[in-house]
Amino acid sequence: MSALEQLIEALRRLPGVGQKSAQRMAYHLLQHDREGAQRLSAALAAAAQQVQHCQRCHTFSEAALCPVCLDATRDAKLLCVVETPADQAALERTGSYRGYYFVLQGRVSPLDGISTKDIGVAELLERASDGLVEEVILATSFTAEGEATAHVVGEVLRARGLRSTRLARGVPVGSELEYVDLGTIAHALVDRR
């Protein structure tokens, strides 16, 4: 396989990138942005070498503990459970949550053979049982797998006597009802306050 074909195949590994998109990216980098290609290559190599999982919350970190886990000003009574480091980053960008996190290694998916053991629920239970945590906020996605994960994790937490809550869901701010999907409207009606 030529170097160009290897580049295209490597780019295809990215989510949402098919053959044509990967080919377009490869051609662009090689034809119009060789400096960008070099920077991308160096950044990928450095990240693959230096980025690991935080020992406490499992998000990405270059140190044993991430900056959030090291922040003593955060509320130790709150632990927010998310599926991925990207989900944690999204919540952090809101600036409205000041507790700690626990990042699962994905979500439960019985059809794919992924159970609670595969996503780190045992580690979550250990973390949530530290004597400081009073509320575990389940912030998994609202897909079928995310809902199943929240349900299973919530049941396991309750069996241990730990309080868990679920992110609210509803109509997005600034949206018009006629354009909102029916499932979202139905959940908003049920969860109204």
Side-chain angles (χ1 to χ4, degrees):
M1 195 181 300
S2 72
L4 177 59
E5 291 169 330
Q6 289 179 36
L7 174 59
I8 292 168
E9 283 304 307
L11 290 168
R12 283 189 63 199
R13 295 182 69 111
L14 295 170
V17 177
Q19 177 70 28
K20 287 190 178 202
S21 294
Q23 192 173 14
R24 227 178 351 264
M25 286 185 244
Y27 288 164
H28 170 79
L29 287 169
L30 294 175
Q31 187 171 3
H32 300 292
D33 194 6
R34 291 260 175 167
E35 182 184 332
Q38 292 293 335
R39 288 179 59 202
L40 178 61
S41 173
L44 280 170
Q49 178 99 33
Q50 298 167 17
V51 176
Q52 58 193 347
H53 288 283
C54 172
Q55 292 175 359
R56 189 167 187 220
C57 75
H58 297 159
T59 196
F60 291 134
S61 177
E62 290 186 37
L65 294 178
C66 71
V68 171
C69 286
L70 290 172
D71 185 352
T73 66
R74 293 204 168 243
D75 187 348
K77 292 182 257 174
L78 298 174
L79 184 65
C80 184
V81 177
V82 295
E83 294 173 14
T84 67
D87 295 338
Q88 178 191 354
L91 283 170
E92 275 298 287
R93 282 192 304 273
T94 70
S96 60
Y97 177 72
R98 293 297 302 158
Y100 290 104
Y101 294 93
F102 187 89
V103 180
L104 296 171
Q105 301 304 309
R107 54 186 165 215
V108 173
S109 179
L111 294 176
D112 296 321
I114 300 172
S115 72
T116 56
K117 293 176 191 155
D118 302 311
I119 62 171
V121 173
E123 293 91 342
L124 168 61
L125 286 175
E126 184 179 325
R127 171 73 179 87
S129 301
D130 66 1
L132 299 172
V133 175
E134 294 178 9
E135 178 184 359
V136 178
I137 302 165
L138 301 174
T140 57
S141 56
F142 291 102
T143 62
E145 291 91 355
E147 291 283 1
T149 302
H151 176 74
V152 171
V153 171
E155 290 297 315
V156 170
L157 291 167
R158 278 187 283 287
R160 285 272 184 102
L162 296 165
R163 178 175 176 242
S164 69
T165 57
R166 181 80 166 107
L167 273 188
R169 55 191 154 189
V171 179
V173 174
S175 63
E176 295 182 32
L177 281 180
E178 68 179 294
Y179 301 113
V180 176
D181 69 276
L182 299 178
T184 300
I185 293 172
H187 283 296
L189 281 169
V190 170
D191 297 337
R192 71 187 182 279
R193 53 182 166 116

